[in-house]
Amino acid sequence: MTANDFIPKPYSNQVANGKVTWESPSNIALVKYWGKKKNQIPENPSISFTLNNCKTITTLTYTAKDNHDDFEFEVFLDGKQKEDFKPKIATFFQRVESYLPFLKRFQFKIETSNTFPHSSGIASSASGMSALALCLMSIERELNPEISEEEFKAKASFLARLGSGSACRSIEGDLIVWGENETVEGSTDLFGVKYPYTVHDNFKEYQDTILLVDRGEKQVSSTVGHNLMHGHPFAAQRFEQAHENLAKLKPILEVGDLKQFIALIESEALTLHAMMMTSMPYFILMKPNTLEIIQKIWAFREKTGLHIGFTLDAGANVHVLYPKAEATHILEFIKDELVGYCQNEQYICDQIGFGAKLIDN
Ligand code: DP6
């Protein structure tokens, strides 16, 4: 399959106007995507848990217009016009135009809101871009009702990827793989696919409590971050390691080996940050409280033998991951000992989820 397969044949239907709403979740990578080539192609494969509670809800209103010269859209976040969101969406429209040739034929109103606090440091690009891609796919489905469910999801993920790489892993759940690799049959650089192998019950309803250590603006944008991998002295080894970690994860997921699981995801998180610390220019995205939390998690795990682990995004927040069966004890520990390190004691309880939902059409 190539990107050209997503260029549609001439549409069979005509559409004048309408409105559609999708909600789409965020996701948290276990094996990290860090480094990309042209056209949002990842340098290495990644795998993520889709989340359940951290979501973006987007309503797209579309009205046919006479002139087809340019994109016309307005963006609202929580009911307020957001001029500063427009450049990213304009870039997205340009990137996907050949796959959605109707884009210049409509005037769009994009109304969006998140279930998590804005600028909490939680990536809203994954949930936001996937929700928008799905709304656009709903228009395409009106223009071409023949499209199958499978094609719909694959193309939504393909489009979301062109908005933000990790967004391609938010269309479905509960474990999504993106990036061609030998471990996962059917994996591709073009879009996210459902992890197709056995996953042990230990990972059912796996918990993710997100500790909001730093709600400030991102120090390093994802574009700048990924670019740091160009010419990075350890890039080749890192990309190779991601393939190896994905291969190692397969038996871990199958037999439910939580110890090995934790070792692998924590190593992935620290490697991501090590890549940032060893690039030029270099960055430290962890904060002192990120390290305090990590130390506490390790001490608590040592003391209790409970299966608590962490992962990190490209920021200071900590995702605390643990099995549902141990949730009572671990959540108590989080509230008693970790929440104090969060900004304004803010944290979000989430768990593994099953992907985006159409709310209204
Ligand atoms: C550290 O998907 O935000 O969260 O493709 O430039 O939009 P762009 O990058 P983005 O990068 C996410 C990086 C990460 C790891 C991951 O989610 O795999």
Side-chain angles (χ1 to χ4, degrees), residues 23-28 49-56 115 174 205-206 208 210 348-357:
E23 61 166 52
S24 191
S26 188
N27 67 72
I28 179 69
F49 277 156
T50 303
L51 294 181
N52 193 57
N53 304 335
C54 290
K55 311 178 273 210
T56 296
T115 58
D174 42 355
E205 297 179 68
Y206 216 72
D208 179 3
I210 309 163
I348 298 171
C349 290
D350 210 334
Q351 66 176 41
I352 198 164
F354 296 92
K357 283 193 207 113

Side-chain angles (χ1 to χ4, degrees), residues 219-285:
Q219 222 188 92
V220 184
S221 76
S222 63
T223 312
V224 171
H226 289 287
N227 278 338
L228 294 173
M229 291 306 280
H230 293 306
H232 191 293
F234 309 131
Q237 295 95 316
R238 161 58 198 156
F239 301 147
E240 186 51 41
Q241 180 198 39
H243 283 268
E244 287 162 12
N245 278 345
L246 195 58
K248 284 184 192 156
L249 199 55
K250 195 175 165 186
I252 292 174
L253 290 173
E254 187 174 340
V255 304
D257 188 336
L258 294 175
K259 269 204 172 126
Q260 293 295 329
F261 177 75
I262 290 167
L264 191 141
I265 59 160
E266 290 188 348
S267 159
E268 270 290 320
L270 295 178
T271 301
L272 170 73
H273 282 257
M275 289 298 115
M276 286 180 239
M277 291 197 256
T278 50
S279 55
M280 193 55 87
Y282 42 81
F283 296 94
I284 299 181
L285 298 189

Side-chain angles (χ1 to χ4, degrees), residues 27 29 31-34 36 40 46 88 125 163-167 169 218 222-223 226 272 313-314:
N27 67 72
V31 173
K32 308 286 181 184
Y33 149 55
W34 197 242
K36 61 181 168 186
Q40 296 284 102
S46 57
K88 190 155 189 192
S125 66
S164 176
S166 56
R169 300 188 310 238
K218 267 194 180 175
S222 63
T223 312
H226 289 287
L272 170 73
D313 265 337

Side-chain angles (χ1 to χ4, degrees), residues 78-359:
D78 299 327
K80 289 193 200 86
Q81 199 139 7
K82 287 294 280 183
E83 285 302 314
D84 52 329
F85 280 18
K86 285 182 103 174
K88 190 155 189 192
I89 294 174
T91 306
F92 173 61
F93 279 0
Q94 275 157 18
R95 284 191 195 150
V96 299
E97 195 193 357
S98 51
Y99 310 106
L100 298 173
F102 60 81
L103 281 181
K104 284 184 179 154
R105 289 193 238 153
F106 292 97
Q107 194 181 352
F108 296 106
K109 184 178 181 191
I110 304 164
E111 293 168 283
T112 189
S113 62
N114 298 321
T115 58
F116 45 88
H118 185 56
S119 77
S120 56
I122 296 185
S124 57
S125 66
S127 52
M129 282 298 173
S130 53
L132 182 57
L134 284 157
C135 288
L136 294 170
M137 280 308 295
S138 286
I139 303 179
E140 175 144 295
R141 180 147 60 190
E142 279 200 66
L143 294 162
N144 171 23
E146 244 84 284
I147 191 165
S148 72
E149 198 52 34
E150 201 182 332
E151 286 168 322
F152 182 96
K153 282 183 183 155
K155 185 162 174 182
S157 173
F158 169 84
L159 297 172
R161 187 198 98 230
L162 293 170
S164 176
S166 56
C168 79
R169 300 188 310 238
S170 278
I171 306 295
E172 291 186 274
D174 42 355
L175 267 166
I176 302 293
V177 177
W178 169 42
E180 196 178 332
N181 66 85
E182 280 181 6
T183 304
V184 178
E185 217 185 307
S187 59
T188 163
D189 288 343
L190 297 176
F191 51 89
V193 298
K194 270 171 89 89
Y195 179 73
Y197 306 114
T198 310
V199 177
H200 193 275
D201 276 354
N202 279 352
F203 297 103
K204 249 196 194 145
E205 297 179 68
Y206 216 72
Q207 304 289 299
D208 179 3
T209 302
I210 309 163
L211 304 177
L212 305 179
V213 172
D214 182 25
R215 304 183 52 204
E217 280 293 303
K218 267 194 180 175
Q219 222 188 92
V220 184
S221 76
S222 63
T223 312
V224 171
H226 289 287
N227 278 338
L228 294 173
M229 291 306 280
H230 293 306
H232 191 293
F234 309 131
Q237 295 95 316
R238 161 58 198 156
F239 301 147
E240 186 51 41
Q241 180 198 39
H243 283 268
E244 287 162 12
N245 278 345
L246 195 58
K248 284 184 192 156
L249 199 55
K250 195 175 165 186
I252 292 174
L253 290 173
E254 187 174 340
V255 304
D257 188 336
L258 294 175
K259 269 204 172 126
Q260 293 295 329
F261 177 75
I262 290 167
L264 191 141
I265 59 160
E266 290 188 348
S267 159
E268 270 290 320
L270 295 178
T271 301
L272 170 73
H273 282 257
M275 289 298 115
M276 286 180 239
M277 291 197 256
T278 50
S279 55
M280 193 55 87
Y282 42 81
F283 296 94
I284 299 181
L285 298 189
M286 290 189 247
K287 296 280 181 203
N289 282 353
T290 311
L291 291 174
E292 293 283 0
I293 289 168
I294 292 173
Q295 301 290 357
K296 288 258 174 186
I297 288 175
W298 284 348
F300 178 76
R301 187 163 78 213
E302 179 74 30
K303 194 174 88 189
T304 61
L306 291 172
H307 299 95
I308 180 172
F310 72 86
T311 188
L312 306 166
D313 265 337
N317 296 336
V318 182
H319 287 249
V320 187
L321 300 180
Y322 49 98
K324 173 83 174 166
E326 298 175 15
T328 313
H329 270 101
I330 292 178
L331 199 55
E332 204 178 318
F333 158 70
I334 291 173
K335 286 183 190 158
D336 290 348
E337 307 227 12
L338 302 185
V339 166
Y341 295 108
C342 298
Q343 238 180 29
N344 307 322
E345 309 216 326
Q346 285 204 62
Y347 66 101
I348 298 171
C349 290
D350 210 334
Q351 66 176 41
I352 198 164
F354 296 92
K357 283 193 207 113
L358 177 65
I359 302 298

